[in-house]
Amino acid sequence: MQKLVYKRMGQLMMAYWPYIILSSLSAIIFVLLNGLSIWLTATLINNILLDFDSILQSQSEWSARETLTPNEALKYWTNVAILRDTPSESLKVLCLTILGVFFVKNIFLYLKNILLYMVQLNIVKDIRDKLYNHIQKLSLGYFNKEKSGTITSVIINDVEQLQGALSVAFQKLFVEPINILTFATLLFIISWKLALIAIVIIPLAGVAIITIGKSIRRKSRRTQKKIAEIMQILSENLSSIRIVKAFVNEKEEIKKFSRETTNYLSLHLKRARLDLIAAPITESFGVIIGVVLLWYGGSEVILQRGLIAEDFIRFILILFSILGPIKQLSNVNIRIQAGAASAERIFNLLDTEPQIVEINNPTKLQNFKSEVVFKNVNFEYFAGDGPVLDNINFSIKKGEVVALVGPSGSGKSTIADLIPRFYDVNSGSIMFDGEDIKNASLASLRNNLGIVSQEVVLFNDTIRNNIAYAQPNKDESEIRKAAEAANALEFIEKTQDGFDTVVGERGVKLSGGQKQRLAIARALLKNPSILILDEATSALDTESEKKVQKAIESLMKDRTALVIAHRLSTVQNADKIIVIEKGVVVENLSLIHISEPHETREDLLCRLLLEKKKGGGGGGGG
């Protein structure tokens, strides 16, 4: 799994390979100039300030020799570029050279950083876009099973964590290895014996850092999971704040939230202990290396065993310069491990297969012409949970108003959700004008349907945009006409900004009846072939129900409709009433005239069953 995560992260990076190549070239030039600046600084300290006459003599000797060691060749060509007749002139040239090298070096440092930053930000954007796009394709069953806080946490927190890892990785991972390689080469050129001592000790620090990184990755998984749980609690609390206050349960909610944040704190501290110990470990190994080399190298210089003071000064300067990149790489590993834990959660979400998929070359349904038929339909939400619907058979003919009635939990809303393929049947079929809806494109199927549910979904946008949702081509007159037909124009015109009034999050600024009428206006504007009304008036008071009922009557006029009934007023004009009980059609009654104005759902069910028995079969079997 770990290799696969890194491979997929690499594939995301490779989409921007031109930027990465340019950045890498800039990084190489920067590192070479950085090494040159350190070499020149050592030249300033020793050659010019301490031993100018001696270096002139050495330069003369090197000029006369046919072959030079790599160390001597580097020093020779440095002196050719820097040395002048006097120390003052040489110092002037050296200072100007160092100034020029640092100026050019920092130009390439900026180019390297800005190019990689562009790659990093584009990758993060791509990941968020892919996640959001993928979520739109997932079926409702996934959202029933997965918490919204977890999904939000992946898109926000995990992508943010990955961005931090990419930021450090991009800025350091491309530069520091080249830095280390360049400095290590210089160390071997100066003294291979001292370089070997350093190389023996450095891997010990690497082993410690890798071990710490693996532990941090495990703790990062748990930390990200915990922050997802915190977001879920926060989301639920904010969406249910009215209930929390009504039941005076603020203290318990605070305790619950505090308990989770305390657990998060504990996990974060455990990770921080490991995170923060990496730098001291690297520093400690660096001091050990420095002390050992100072003792050994200093002894070589003092006893004149082939290492001169100038080379030893250069070696020590470069050695301590190489410890910085090694320390940076240790931090990179820690951040990458934390980012890899987040990447696993991101890829797990991206790899979730949608349950509702279109076949290749699906049929594009035209406007509804004849009937929708449920044929031996069986359905259960999760395998092993037991059937929600059992052998459902009925039809909805064009122009018919069919009412579904039955106790709560009997399967009425599930039937309504199967028609637009929010879920797929386990067996049996649903036919739309003779075509199995599984063979139809989702867009053409759902474009034929208009859905008004009990729980109205409004966006934090204007009234106009909520009515015209997903219908940008509708003009002002059509929107106004739909609002009027939905019995909503009166209250819209009384608001401060009319159709430009922002309704607030989930329509919080409107009453239940007003929200419901906007939902009906939205369905009217769509002008669907088939209407699905899922207990659209069940949560309303009597006055609001009258207004909404009038809007529904306008909506259903000359249309085919499937109505899930909660109140008698919703079904009294139905052409067919289907009674559902425990997922089974117990009655299928046609043209029943209901007159009792205050009949409850339970009374209605009892009376329908009695009429069926008295009539010896009623309107047909189900």
Side-chain angles (χ1 to χ4, degrees):
M1 180 63 184
Q2 182 173 338
K3 291 181 179 179
L4 182 60
V5 167
Y6 290 145
K7 180 181 178 181
R8 293 178 71 170
M9 290 171 68
Q11 288 171 344
L12 290 171
M13 292 166 53
M14 286 302 103
Y16 299 95
W17 63 267
Y19 294 97
I20 293 174
I21 288 176
L22 289 174
S23 181
S24 300
L25 291 174
S26 299
I28 291 170
I29 295 173
F30 163 75
V31 168
L32 293 175
L33 292 174
N34 192 41
L36 177 60
S37 66
I38 294 173
W39 187 275
L40 290 174
T41 302
T43 300
L44 167 66
I45 293 173
N46 190 76
N47 296 355
I48 296 175
L49 300 182
L50 301 180
D51 202 4
F52 187 73
D53 293 334
S54 175
I55 197 61
L56 287 177
Q57 183 180 348
S58 297
Q59 190 73 357
S60 177
E61 292 175 0
W62 291 335
S63 299
R65 286 166 53 182
E66 292 184 2
T67 59
L68 297 173
T69 66
N71 187 29
E72 290 171 340
L74 275 175
K75 289 190 285 185
Y76 174 78
W77 288 109
T78 301
N79 293 335
V80 167
I82 301 299
L83 286 181
R84 297 297 182 268
D85 293 334
T86 65
S88 296
E89 290 178 0
S90 299
L91 179 62
K92 179 181 177 182
V93 172
L94 179 61
C95 290
L96 290 173
T97 303
I98 290 175
L99 185 66
V101 167
F102 269 88
F103 180 75
V104 176
K105 178 182 79 169
N106 285 309
I107 289 176
F108 282 99
L109 175 64
Y110 172 78
L111 287 174
K112 181 266 298 182
N113 287 341
I114 193 66
L115 287 167
L116 286 179
Y117 199 67
M118 290 169 64
V119 173
Q120 170 203 330
L121 292 180
N122 274 287
I123 288 175
V124 169
K125 178 188 178 299
D126 289 347
I127 291 173
R128 281 211 171 104
D129 288 349
K130 283 183 179 179
L131 283 169
Y132 194 79
N133 182 54
H134 185 68
I135 285 169
Q136 305 308 308
K137 296 177 182 177
L138 294 176
S139 61
L140 287 182
Y142 175 80
F143 300 99
N144 291 340
K145 182 173 59 176
E146 198 65 58
K147 296 176 182 177
S148 60
T150 301
I151 300 170
T152 305
S153 180
V154 170
I155 296 175
I156 303 300
N157 294 318
D158 283 305
V159 173
E160 195 72 28
Q161 186 79 11
L162 181 60
Q163 179 178 355
L166 290 175
S167 176
V168 174
F170 282 151
Q171 300 303 328
K172 303 298 180 185
L173 202 57
F174 285 97
V175 177
E176 306 309 349
I178 306 173
N179 245 333
I180 292 171
L181 183 62
T182 302
F183 289 143
T185 302
L186 291 175
L187 290 178
F188 273 96
I189 287 173
I190 296 169
S191 173
W192 64 268
K193 291 181 180 178
L194 294 180
L196 281 176
I197 293 172
I199 285 176
V200 168
I201 299 175
I202 286 173
L204 298 176
V207 171
I209 296 305
I210 290 171
T211 304
I212 291 170
K214 289 180 179 178
S215 182
I216 284 177
R217 182 170 179 175
R218 291 193 299 269
K219 287 174 173 58
S220 292
R221 288 194 199 103
R222 293 196 288 267
T223 302
Q224 291 303 97
K225 185 177 180 181
K226 184 58 64 177
I227 197 65
E229 292 172 4
I230 290 172
M231 290 190 71
Q232 178 65 24
I233 292 172
L234 180 61
S235 175
E236 286 182 349
N237 180 269
L238 293 177
S239 62
S240 310
I241 193 68
R242 184 186 296 270
I243 298 298
V244 173
K245 291 184 176 299
F247 282 83
V248 197
N249 202 43
E250 292 93 340
K251 289 183 179 179
E252 286 302 316
E253 290 292 329
I254 291 169
K255 285 181 183 177
K256 182 167 68 173
F257 189 80
S258 179
R259 186 164 55 247
E260 293 302 319
T261 54
T262 301
N263 291 336
Y264 178 73
L265 171 66
S266 176
L267 287 171
H268 220 68
L269 279 174
K270 288 178 182 177
R271 175 181 151 182
R273 290 189 192 106
L274 291 171
D275 197 342
L276 298 174
I277 203 173
I281 287 176
T282 309
E283 196 82 26
S284 298
F285 278 106
V287 171
I288 292 170
I289 294 169
V291 169
V292 170
L293 292 178
L294 276 173
W295 173 76
Y296 180 80
S299 299
E300 292 282 298
V301 172
I302 292 170
L303 299 175
Q304 297 182 350
R305 295 176 180 171
L307 187 67
I308 62 176
E310 174 194 349
D311 288 339
F312 184 58
I313 291 171
R314 274 201 178 93
F315 190 93
I316 293 299
L317 281 174
I318 293 171
L319 175 67
F320 280 98
S321 296
I322 204 175
L323 290 177
I326 291 172
K327 186 176 178 180
Q328 294 290 348
L329 277 182
S330 72
N331 292 331
V332 167
N333 179 59
I334 288 169
R335 294 300 294 272
I336 286 177
Q337 291 302 322
S342 292
E344 286 177 6
R345 287 163 55 84
I346 290 169
F347 292 134
N348 282 338
L349 177 52
L350 286 173
D351 292 339
T352 302
E353 293 291 337
Q355 293 176 325
I356 308 300
V357 292
E358 289 184 354
I359 63 170
N360 293 328
N361 302 315
T363 303
K364 291 186 178 180
L365 300 177
Q366 305 303 316
N367 287 337
F368 181 53
K369 296 181 180 66
S370 58
E371 64 178 349
V372 172
V373 178
F374 277 66
K375 187 177 180 180
N376 303 322
V377 168
N378 294 278
F379 176 77
E380 61 181 21
Y381 283 104
F382 303 109
D385 283 358
V388 178
L389 299 176
D390 184 13
N391 198 35
I392 300 295
N393 290 277
F394 70 89
S395 64
I396 308 170
K397 291 183 170 53
K398 183 176 175 64
E400 231 178 21
V401 175
V402 176
L404 292 180
V405 298
S408 295
S410 59
K412 304 186 300 299
S413 294
T414 302
I415 290 174
D417 286 342
L418 290 177
I419 297 175
R421 283 192 76 193
F422 292 154
Y423 305 94
D424 269 342
V425 301
N426 296 115
S427 62
S429 60
I430 301 173
M431 311 299 289
F432 185 103
D433 286 343
E435 183 76 49
D436 192 324
I437 61 173
K438 286 187 176 181
N439 299 328
S441 74
L442 288 171
S444 67
L445 172 64
R446 292 171 183 173
N447 280 335
N448 271 284
L449 306 174
I451 302 172
V452 181
S453 61
Q454 176 183 352
E455 185 180 353
V456 178
V457 176
L458 295 179
F459 299 91
N460 189 19
D461 205 339
T462 63
I463 289 175
R464 174 187 293 102
N465 290 341
N466 270 288
I467 294 175
Y469 180 71
Q471 301 172 81
N473 297 325
K474 301 294 184 179
D475 59 34
E476 189 74 20
S477 62
E478 290 176 296
I479 295 171
R480 187 178 182 86
K481 186 177 178 181
E484 185 176 9
N487 203 16
L489 189 59
E490 180 183 358
F491 85 79
I492 292 174
E493 291 181 335
K494 289 180 180 178
T495 60
Q496 184 176 355
D497 298 315
F499 281 90
D500 293 319
T501 300
V502 176
V503 302
E505 187 176 0
R506 306 174 81 176
V508 69
K509 296 180 181 179
L510 304 177
S511 70
Q514 290 171 338
K515 288 191 287 187
Q516 198 65 269
R517 280 177 275 169
L518 287 189
I520 292 170
R522 183 164 58 197
L524 275 166
L525 189 64
K526 185 179 182 182
N527 194 27
S529 301
I530 302 173
L531 281 169
I532 299 175
L533 302 178
D534 188 354
E535 300 193 3
T537 64
S538 63
L540 304 179
D541 56 68
T542 305
E543 185 62 30
S544 296
E545 184 197 355
K546 290 178 181 177
K547 294 179 179 178
V548 172
Q549 188 60 43
K550 185 177 179 181
I552 288 175
E553 289 171 4
S554 174
L555 180 62
M556 291 196 303
K557 188 177 181 181
D558 300 324
R559 297 179 197 271
T560 307
L562 177 67
V563 181
I564 295 177
H566 181 79
R567 295 183 178 179
L568 183 59
S569 56
T570 313
V571 300
Q572 59 187 354
N573 295 320
D575 300 304
K576 184 188 294 181
I577 297 178
I578 298 173
V579 185
I580 308 292
E581 188 175 326
K582 295 181 180 179
V584 177
V585 175
V586 295
E587 299 294 340
N588 189 337
L589 308 172
S590 297
L591 302 176
I592 300 273
H593 300 289
I594 303 170
S595 57
E596 290 83 352
H598 302 294
E599 195 168 20
T600 64
R601 180 172 59 188
E602 290 76 12
D603 293 337
L604 172 63
L605 291 172
C606 291
R607 190 169 67 77
L608 288 173
L609 291 172
L610 286 172
E611 287 187 5
K612 173 69 175 173
K613 291 178 181 178
K614 291 177 182 178

